[in-house]
Amino acid sequence: MAEHAEGSGAASESLLEKITDKLQGHDSSSSDSDSDSDKPASPSSMKAKVFRLFGREKPVHTVLGGGKHADVFLWRNKKISAGVLAGATAMWVLFELLEYHLLTLVCHILILSLAILFLWSNATTFINKSPPRIPEVHIPEDPFLQAVNALRIEINRGFAVLREIASGRDLKKFLIIIAGLWVLSILGSCCNFLTLFYITFVLLHTVPVIYEKYEDRIDPFAEKATIEIKKQYAVFDAKVLSRIPKGPFKYKKTA
């Protein structure tokens, strides 16, 4: 009888333990679900994808290539940016408005520098002072080769784009390039290369920094303009471009 009582007592204790474990598991799962429901949704799930100009997904600083030149364009250091822009303006005024020639300017600067250094070097013997320390100037090989290599890559990329356009397979890109070249030809007839280069330089120092500051206001207008352009292009494509036969160009597979 004692053994039977002990067995029944152990069975009742095990049953109570199972019930307690189930209740604790239910409470923990419910608390987990409550905590999950109380957690705020992640910003990525709540925030809709924002339209950015030209499909930009990175900051403007990264799009411009990062580094010191991007800092100059975005006026991270106002003294350096203002100095660069002032120097470009002075060069444009000197060569364009005053019609000064580059070779003449270089020669005059060299004449003045050599005359000052020559007189200073000879005057030190009379005033008992040390002669001026003229630094040795050497063009480093690695940065020069890197710049040439980067220029070569961009030129080859441009040739590849021109070859793809000439193949007649991408009519949209062809029309964009033709329109861009036509606009450049109009600008070239209105001003010379130096003025065009200066205008581009000024735009690089003004447009990116203005866009970075007011991008939340500019992007909605750009989105509306992009939608309207796409609508007009779809109409133009359906009425005109779709009726133009495609070029027979085909790429040949090389082993």
Side-chain angles (χ1 to χ4, degrees):
M1 293 293 290
E3 292 178 357
H4 180 70
E6 290 177 359
S8 61
S12 61
E13 289 179 359
S14 62
L15 182 60
L16 289 173
E17 288 177 358
K18 289 181 179 180
I19 295 172
T20 305
D21 292 338
K22 287 183 179 180
L23 291 174
Q24 289 178 354
H26 178 71
D27 293 338
S28 61
S29 61
S30 61
S31 61
D32 292 339
S33 61
D34 293 339
S35 61
D36 292 339
S37 61
D38 292 339
K39 286 183 180 179
S42 61
S44 59
S45 61
M46 293 179 63
K47 187 178 180 180
K49 188 176 181 180
V50 180
F51 176 85
R52 294 300 181 188
L53 195 62
F54 303 117
R56 177 178 62 86
E57 296 180 355
K58 299 179 180 179
V60 180
H61 188 272
T62 306
V63 173
L64 292 176
K68 295 182 178 179
H69 60 279
D71 294 338
V72 172
F73 291 144
L74 295 176
W75 293 75
R76 295 287 192 266
N77 191 327
K78 294 183 179 181
K79 293 182 179 179
I80 296 177
S81 301
V84 171
L85 187 58
T89 304
M91 296 293 287
W92 178 76
V93 171
L94 192 64
F95 292 126
E96 184 65 21
L97 298 184
L98 301 180
E99 296 183 353
Y100 211 70
H101 298 286
L102 178 62
L103 183 59
T104 305
L105 177 64
V106 172
C107 292
H108 287 174
I109 291 175
L110 289 176
I111 290 172
L112 183 62
S113 301
L114 290 175
I116 292 173
L117 292 174
F118 180 81
L119 293 175
W120 189 3
S121 299
N122 287 284
T124 54
T125 57
F126 299 100
I127 58 179
N128 295 324
K129 288 188 176 182
S130 60
R133 295 183 60 184
I134 303 174
E136 296 183 1
V137 180
H138 296 285
I139 298 177
E141 182 179 0
D142 291 338
F144 183 77
L145 293 179
Q146 290 176 1
V148 173
N149 188 32
L151 181 61
R152 179 187 63 84
I153 292 173
E154 294 299 328
I155 292 174
N156 289 334
R157 187 178 298 172
F159 284 146
V161 171
L162 292 176
R163 181 176 182 271
E164 183 180 358
I165 293 172
S167 66
R169 297 187 303 114
D170 195 342
L171 187 58
K172 181 179 179 181
K173 188 179 292 186
F174 169 76
L175 294 176
I176 292 174
I177 295 297
I178 292 298
L181 292 175
W182 180 67
V183 172
L184 285 178
S185 66
I186 295 176
L187 292 176
S189 63
C190 298
C191 56
N192 56 16
F193 178 76
L194 181 60
T195 302
L196 184 61
F197 180 78
Y198 176 70
I199 292 172
T200 305
F201 193 80
V202 172
L203 290 176
L204 285 174
H205 277 77
T206 53
V207 174
V209 65
I210 293 174
Y211 173 70
E212 186 184 38
K213 188 175 182 180
Y214 301 103
E215 61 179 349
D216 293 334
R217 301 180 184 178
I218 296 174
D219 286 336
F221 291 103
E223 183 178 11
K224 294 178 181 178
T226 303
I227 293 172
E228 186 63 27
I229 290 173
K230 287 182 178 180
K231 289 180 181 179
Q232 297 298 329
Y233 178 78
V235 174
F236 181 70
D237 186 22
K239 293 182 178 180
V240 179
L241 299 182
S242 60
R243 300 180 182 180
I244 299 176
K246 303 295 182 181
F249 182 86
K250 293 181 180 180
Y251 285 105
K252 295 181 180 180
K253 294 182 178 180
T254 57

